[in-house]
Amino acid sequence: MKTIITIQHTQSVHHTNGMVGSWTDWKLTEKGVEQARRIGEKLKAELGEKEFVLYSSDLLRAKETAEEVGKSFGLVPKLRFELRERNLGKCCGQSVQWLRDNIECVEKNIDDRMFSDAESRRDEWKRLKPFFDEIMANDQENIIIVSHGDLLSAFNAMFLGLSAEALNSFEISGLPGGVSFMHENDEGKRIIKRISDSSYLI
């Protein structure tokens, strides 16, 4: 049995100041740090003495979330570039209003890019897929992953065995601080038990 717990990073400064997240390296707010601490404490209380491996996006807001969660487990996050949020190119460092006023392409499918130097969702999928294949094939039984909303939507689809094109029709998205539980049993059947559970924030 393989257990994968994904955590969308908690409240970041860009959630409060109207700026684009993407690859801009925002810190967590004080509230976000406290939310991450609670997630770690509640997960540890629930999961007991099970040993986990902790992976995180190397962007600061995810890294800080993972560090707070890791304190409860005695873990230091393994930082992975593949877990970064989607790169939105030239609008990084700009406001959400600037994005709306200057968008070059309204995305209608996974191959569209908002800006000429941005990642498409297919680009994001291709970046994530080698990491996904790695963790599904290795012998790590208990894994925690801290990442970002758009990236975790792609992860959810991969776990369900869907193609990238499925994101043209639907996706499973979450909320900041949402915790999801996924399992693959010994017969290879994949089961999602909870998606973006926000109760760990309370």
Side-chain angles (χ1 to χ4, degrees):
M1 171 79 81
K2 184 183 287 284
T3 296
I4 299 173
I5 299 172
T6 66
I7 303 170
Q8 187 169 326
H9 72 79
T10 52
Q11 188 187 78
S12 166
V13 171
H14 85 280
H15 291 144
T16 66
N17 66 3
M19 300 294 283
V20 171
S22 186
W23 282 17
T24 309
D25 225 2
W26 298 105
K27 293 174 63 68
L28 294 182
T29 62
E30 290 184 12
K31 179 179 179 180
V33 173
E34 175 63 18
Q35 289 174 331
R37 184 188 63 78
R38 287 179 191 162
I39 291 170
E41 290 176 351
K42 291 188 174 185
L43 281 176
K44 179 60 177 176
E46 178 180 335
L47 298 168
E49 298 306 312
K50 288 183 179 179
E51 293 186 1
F52 279 81
V53 178
L54 174 60
Y55 293 100
S56 174
S57 158
D58 62 351
L59 291 173
L60 190 57
R61 57 196 184 273
K63 176 177 176 285
E64 290 183 341
T65 300
E67 287 172 345
E68 289 299 319
V69 170
K71 287 176 183 177
S72 294
F73 290 86
L75 295 173
V76 175
K78 300 176 184 293
L79 304 181
R80 297 292 294 256
F81 171 84
E82 301 97 314
L83 292 172
R84 281 187 171 203
E85 184 59 295
R86 185 154 58 109
N87 181 8
L88 298 183
K90 65 185 68 175
C91 79
C92 291
Q94 304 289 346
S95 68
V96 173
Q97 187 60 52
W98 186 95
L99 184 158
R100 292 171 180 156
D101 293 341
N102 294 276
I103 190 168
E104 296 171 4
C105 174
V106 176
E107 294 181 321
K108 296 182 180 178
N109 63 65
I110 61 167
D111 292 306
D112 289 336
R113 295 181 175 90
M114 290 186 189
F115 298 93
S116 58
D117 59 346
E119 284 185 314
S120 68
R121 300 203 77 189
R122 190 185 299 278
D123 294 331
E124 178 185 47
W125 182 282
K126 289 180 177 178
R127 170 163 54 86
L128 173 63
K129 190 63 162 60
F131 171 82
F132 178 84
D133 291 342
E134 173 190 326
I135 64 167
M136 296 308 297
N138 68 25
D139 59 1
Q140 296 167 351
E141 293 186 352
N142 300 305
I143 300 169
I144 298 172
I145 296 170
V146 180
S147 188
H148 310 262
D150 199 277
L151 190 288
L152 288 175
S153 292
F155 188 96
N156 292 339
M158 284 184 192
F159 188 81
L160 289 170
L162 301 172
S163 67
E165 286 75 18
L167 295 174
N168 287 328
S169 303
F170 84 100
E171 62 185 291
I172 302 171
S173 62
L175 297 169
V179 180
S180 300
F181 287 76
M182 306 177 186
H183 306 277
E184 183 178 66
N185 67 21
D186 294 338
E187 288 72 46
K189 182 177 181 179
R190 294 179 183 174
I191 303 156
I192 297 180
K193 290 198 171 179
R194 276 177 273 177
I195 286 286
S196 195
D197 185 345
S198 297
S199 67
Y200 293 88
L201 300 174
I202 302 170

